[in-house]
Amino acid sequence: MVEQTAENIGIEAKVAKINVDNNGPLGRRFGIRGIPALLIFKNGKVVDKVRPGDNLEKRLLAYR
């Protein structure tokens, strides 16, 4: 869904999937408290956390 939305609005997006059950320290590092969780990074830093029901297109466009 992320890749398709990014393509539709003409931006580049890379998607990485992390299993926080197998990678607990990484989940804690980014404050993951619920699944699914979607973090938007720009220049190597988290700039937003998207929750189910949020307008993904609008959120991605904000960091163009």
Side-chain angles (χ1 to χ4, degrees):
M1 184 172 104
V2 175
E3 293 158 326
Q4 184 63 48
T5 300
E7 185 178 312
N8 290 344
I9 59 178
I11 64 171
E12 180 182 343
K14 294 181 183 178
V15 178
K17 212 171 168 181
I18 304 295
N19 182 330
V20 293
D21 291 332
N22 296 338
N23 221 333
L26 191 59
R28 285 188 292 282
R29 176 179 172 190
F30 292 108
I32 304 298
R33 293 195 177 109
I35 306 291
L38 176 66
L39 283 65
I40 298 174
F41 288 78
K42 185 169 185 174
N43 298 322
K45 296 184 181 185
V46 176
V47 293
D48 205 351
K49 293 183 181 182
V50 182
R51 292 172 182 80
D54 287 348
N55 185 327
L56 180 59
E57 184 173 321
K58 182 178 176 183
R59 300 296 269 276
L60 288 173
L61 282 170
Y63 302 103
R64 200 174 219 190

